[in-house]
């Protein structure tokens, strides 16, 4: 997937994951190049969220290996991986904001946990990130006072607070109206183009896949069945790929 010559920041080799004797991922090989937009896609239950969790170290594989920034992460102690994980940002599917904290406090959490920053500087960085996602002035509000799209933007601001080199987004457009979902996609494209952030998006939303126009990795029944561009996917004769991109044909 890093076939454009970019240095791979994510490498997955022979990945197998099983839950309770049921194999969810089988023999997945994947590379994601630095500065790329990569889209992991497929229908419900295909294994795409499990692949994301495996890369993040939230699920341990039964076989295979995973490397981030050239360092193998499989089986290593979480404390050993802490420096690597500070180079990552994660935007969770439902935002995962803490309802007891304001938006600004939610966004500041990673900074307070992983960096020794003066409180005044923390506030300035938080305001910069909120402005970046179109939430300037919303820092004092609670998550319950925000719309779904605003919560997603706040989650994105939090994911970007440490200036990660690699940003993971799990279903960023899920549950949003088309206009709001398009706005989130535009933000991700802007981060990639302006900051050089490598963006990895897990989604099944056809419009988002086409807007992001990144390198695609499609899973079907736990196996990687396609890697390539949106144009190549749209023209593929593979039954599973054609059924996904041309439903109803």
């Amino acid at each position: 997937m890093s076939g454009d010559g970019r240095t791979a920041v994510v490498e997955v080799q022979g990945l197998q994951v099983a839950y309770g004797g049921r194999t969810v991922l089988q023999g997945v090989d994947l590379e994601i190049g630095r500065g790329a937009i990569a889209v992991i896609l497929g229908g419900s239950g295909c294994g795409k969220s499990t692949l994301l969790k495996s890369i993040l170290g939230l699920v341990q594989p039964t076989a295979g290996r995973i490397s981030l920034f050239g360092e193998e992460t499989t089986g290593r102690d979480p404390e050993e991986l802490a420096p690597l994980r500070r180079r990552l940002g994660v935007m969770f599917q439902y935002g995962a904001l803490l309802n007891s904290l304001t938006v600004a406090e939610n966004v500041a959490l990673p900074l307070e946990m992983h960096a020794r920053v003066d409180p005044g500087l923390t506030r300035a960085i938080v305001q910069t990130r909120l402005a970046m996602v179109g939430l300037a002035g919303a820092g004092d509000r609670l998550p319950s006072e925000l719309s779904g799209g605003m919560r997603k933007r706040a989650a994105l601001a939090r994911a970007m607070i440490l200036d990660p080199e690699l940003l993971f987004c799990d279903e960023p457009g899920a549950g949003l109206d088309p206009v709001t979902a398009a706005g989130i996609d535009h933000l991700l494209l802007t981060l990639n183009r302006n900051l050089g952030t490598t963006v990895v998006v897990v989604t099944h939303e056809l419009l988002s896949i086409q807007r992001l126009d990144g390198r695609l990795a499609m899973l079907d029944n736990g196996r990687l069945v396609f890697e390539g561009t949106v144009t190549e996917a749209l023209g593929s004769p593979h039954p599973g790929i054609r059924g996904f991109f041309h439903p109803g044909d």
Side-chain angles (χ1 to χ4, degrees):
M1 198 167 183
S2 61
D4 54 6
R6 293 167 170 161
T7 303
V9 293
V10 177
E11 296 178 82
V12 177
Q13 297 179 328
L15 184 66
Q16 178 174 311
V17 176
Y19 296 132
R22 183 175 71 90
T23 300
V24 181
L25 293 175
Q26 178 65 52
V28 174
D29 295 311
L30 180 66
E31 287 190 4
I32 297 172
R34 184 179 298 276
I37 292 181
V39 180
I40 300 171
L41 65 144
S44 298
C46 70
K48 56 187 184 295
S49 290
T50 297
L51 175 57
L52 176 63
K53 291 175 183 176
S54 300
I55 295 171
L56 292 172
L58 302 176
V59 169
Q60 289 302 312
T62 51
R65 58 185 294 273
I66 297 168
S67 297
L68 296 174
F69 306 108
E71 293 189 40
E72 185 167 356
T73 61
T74 317
R76 289 176 61 185
D77 188 276
E79 291 186 5
E80 285 185 85
L81 297 176
L84 275 181
R85 287 178 170 165
R86 283 195 285 270
R87 299 167 69 182
L88 312 177
V90 184
M91 180 183 176
F92 294 100
Q93 181 173 354
Y94 299 108
L97 301 176
L98 299 176
N99 290 324
S100 60
L101 301 180
T102 66
V103 169
E105 289 168 340
N106 269 284
V107 173
L109 272 177
L111 203 57
E112 293 170 346
M113 292 173 65
H114 300 297
R116 295 179 179 178
V117 179
D118 177 86
L121 182 56
T122 294
R123 285 192 295 271
I125 295 171
V126 167
Q127 289 306 313
T128 299
R129 285 290 173 257
L130 287 174
M132 178 187 73
V133 300
L135 289 180
D140 292 334
R141 298 169 70 177
L142 292 171
S144 60
E145 299 173 318
L146 303 181
S147 67
M150 292 173 75
R151 285 194 294 272
K152 289 286 181 81
R153 287 172 178 266
L156 180 56
R158 185 180 59 188
M160 291 298 297
I161 194 69
L162 293 174
D163 290 323
E165 300 168 53
L166 179 55
L167 174 66
F168 295 93
C169 302
D170 188 9
E171 300 283 4
L176 302 180
D177 65 84
V179 174
T180 304
I184 295 292
D185 291 339
H186 177 72
L187 278 173
L188 296 176
L189 288 168
T190 300
L191 290 172
N192 173 258
R193 291 167 181 167
N194 293 353
L195 301 180
T197 309
T198 305
V199 179
V200 181
V201 176
V202 172
T203 186
H204 65 276
E205 303 282 348
L206 285 175
L207 288 176
S208 285
I209 291 166
Q210 294 183 48
R211 274 192 297 265
L212 292 168
D213 196 25
R215 294 287 297 179
L216 308 185
M218 184 172 179
L219 295 171
D220 187 26
N221 292 319
R223 295 181 180 273
L224 190 65
V225 296
F226 174 82
E227 288 187 78
T229 66
V230 172
T231 300
E232 290 167 344
L234 289 170
S236 173
H238 185 285
I241 300 166
R242 184 163 184 81
F244 183 89
F245 280 93
H246 305 279
D249 282 5

